[in-house]
Amino acid sequence: MKTKQLIISYLLVSILSITLASCKKSFLDLTPQGIVPVTTYYNTEVDIRTALNGAYTSLRPIYNFQWAYCEIPSDNTQSYGDSDANIGELDKFTWTSASGTLQNVWNRHYATIAYCNIVLGHVATPPMTQAARDGYIGQAKFIRALMYFNLVRMFGGVPLVLTEITTEQQAYTYERSPVADVYAQMEKDLAEAAALLPASYGGTDMGRATSIAARGLLGKVQLFQHKFQQAEPILASVVASVSLPLLSYDQVFGLSKDNNKEFIFSVQYLGGGLGEGNLFASQFIPVPATGIISVSGVSFNLGTPDLYNAFEPGDNRLNYIGTFTAGTIAYYYCKKFVYPTVPSGNEGDNDWPILRYSDAILMYAEALNENGKTADALTQLNIIRNRSSLPSKNGLSQADARIAIRNERRVELCFEGERWFDLIRYGTFVQVMQAYKDKYTPPSSSFANVLPTLNLFPIPRRETTLNSKLTQNPGY
């Protein structure tokens, strides 16, 4: 947030319209290309729309690596061999305030927040219909809330920037806001976005944030605060918006299945070597697994045997965990985002789901169970289990239902960036990760001790150096 490119009143917006190959993501055809001063821009609706597209586009590099902070520290996935140099610190709990990966995530999230704030600060100026203006406001508030949701779960209280920053000195006036204040702003943004946005889009606007996405994220925000009473009706409305039965796993993650009804909101990628695609295919394949796909693997985000063994016999979701053995080492890798043939430039076209209906259903089940409605919770849980060819669970106690719902979230959403944050909000990450460490890592390994202070990452050192008002998290 301290670099001038993120705090001065400029926004990376396109002056030229670039024609890209995929019509399903065509609302992002206006890709950021140059720096345009605010004083000479934002005078037309096209300017606002293009600026908002810049906020969507900035999600691509964030979610090309966001999984690393949400899965690698957990018992779901691990680094391996050569990949230790890049993400080993996330796997072994050895990250520090000087870690470049954490500085990068801080910068990119605040850049996206800056884009949203500029849109919100200028959307009232150009002539347009009220419906169009409401749509731009709702989408910008949704994206801003999403960014703060990531930040507050990673770092705790963070600077709450809600207006455009116009000078470098202004940036240094911000202190860390209390966690409760950051969550309150997210809830406000998402409630307002839900009231302004349509339930769906068609044609070239497919993939934009909807009212259903805003309610779904709001329900998740409340769940993370243990506001189960408030979350239940919101998540109920999200679940009611999807027609059953759900798509099969093959229909959800099969080739060219982007923007299907299972995806409530996803990051829209464009393959083809233009820098707008994803790198999941190479990231999620083991280095020794030459020939599985058309690119070489780098052993990022590989599954653990603990995750593989968490699946029940007959669970058809296991079809999306590949296995590969090299010598004495068994590798487990994610196939949800890995297609046999990758477009030019090694950039995949498949989208990254930030919120799926199965996620919403399991959150709804959790809220119901925590509110004492265990039988209703099991009804929701069984929707997910039955789709996966597993038998229903009935007659469980609230405590046993809690365990079942948590286990179901793990296997249903594995590799999708949910597990680490789930363990933290459950309050079980120290117990779970210590047991994992004791079982799978030898005493001579470089894994750090599993400490309660690991529930937050450190504020990047560069930020605390540039702004003395930013305090550091405990343990760092």
Side-chain angles (χ1 to χ4, degrees), residues 216-358:
L217 187 56
L218 176 58
K220 181 171 282 192
V221 164
Q222 292 175 331
L223 213 65
F224 268 75
Q225 301 173 82
H226 298 166
K227 293 182 176 180
F228 300 112
Q229 292 288 346
Q230 296 94 320
E232 181 186 325
I234 293 172
L235 292 169
S237 72
V238 175
V239 171
S241 67
V242 63
S243 58
L244 297 176
L246 293 175
L247 300 176
S248 70
Y249 232 54
D250 288 337
Q251 291 172 314
V252 174
F253 291 109
L255 185 62
S256 299
K257 299 299 184 184
D258 295 338
N259 291 322
N260 59 62
K261 76 171 187 176
E262 172 87 4
F263 284 26
I264 298 176
F265 184 75
S266 58
V267 179
Q268 309 283 299
Y269 284 101
L270 282 166
L274 296 175
E276 303 297 341
N278 66 63
L279 304 175
F280 307 140
S282 61
Q283 288 172 335
F284 298 169
I285 291 294
V287 168
T290 303
I292 289 181
I293 59 172
S294 59
V295 297
S296 298
V298 296
S299 293
F300 286 6
N301 207 36
L302 295 184
T304 65
D306 194 69
L307 170 63
Y308 190 81
N309 293 331
F311 285 82
E312 299 173 43
D315 192 330
N316 61 30
R317 291 170 295 198
L318 263 178
N319 296 332
Y320 282 82
I321 297 184
T323 59
F324 181 84
T325 301
T328 60
I329 300 177
Y331 297 90
Y332 306 95
Y333 64 93
C334 173
K335 296 172 65 176
K336 292 179 180 179
F337 311 105
V338 176
Y339 297 156
T341 301
V342 180
S344 62
N346 293 343
E347 291 185 350
D349 189 67
N350 45 321
D351 296 340
W352 183 265
I354 292 177
L355 190 61
R356 290 200 284 126
Y357 272 112
S358 57

Side-chain angles (χ1 to χ4, degrees), residues 364-438:
Y364 181 40
E366 181 177 341
L368 286 167
N369 189 56
E370 296 303 326
N371 290 334
K373 304 173 184 177
T374 299
D376 293 336
L378 293 176
T379 297
Q380 299 302 316
L381 171 66
N382 290 332
I383 293 173
I384 306 302
R385 290 182 57 81
N386 296 162
R387 176 177 69 171
S388 305
S389 301
L390 295 177
S392 296
K393 286 183 176 288
N394 298 299
L396 300 183
S397 67
Q398 183 186 46
D400 287 341
R402 183 181 297 120
I403 293 171
I405 292 167
R406 291 178 179 182
N407 289 343
E408 202 67 32
R409 281 189 64 82
R410 184 185 186 187
V411 295
E412 171 68 23
L413 303 171
C414 65
F415 300 104
E416 296 180 44
E418 300 291 338
R419 179 62 173 173
W420 177 242
F421 292 145
D422 277 350
L423 288 177
I424 290 173
R425 72 185 178 87
Y426 298 153
T428 62
F429 85 92
V430 172
Q431 173 189 350
V432 169
M433 293 311 301
Q434 187 62 56
Y436 173 83
K437 177 184 175 183
D438 293 344

Side-chain angles (χ1 to χ4, degrees), residues 127-198:
M128 66 182 78
T129 66
Q130 189 59 46
R133 202 181 316 274
D134 288 347
Y136 300 137
I137 293 171
Q139 291 172 73
K141 289 189 173 185
F142 173 87
I143 296 173
R144 184 170 71 180
L146 176 63
M147 294 297 95
Y148 275 119
F149 190 41
N150 287 344
L151 287 170
V152 79
R153 290 182 297 171
M154 293 182 70
F155 300 106
V158 292
L160 192 56
V161 184
L162 302 177
T163 58
E164 180 184 357
I165 294 178
T166 57
T167 69
E168 188 170 1
Q169 290 71 28
Q170 183 185 354
Y172 299 142
T173 65
Y174 283 91
E175 302 179 19
R176 297 179 66 180
S177 295
V179 168
D181 290 355
V182 182
Y183 269 114
Q185 183 62 46
M186 282 186 276
E187 290 189 28
K188 181 176 183 294
D189 276 351
L190 291 168
E192 292 173 357
L196 293 172
L197 294 172

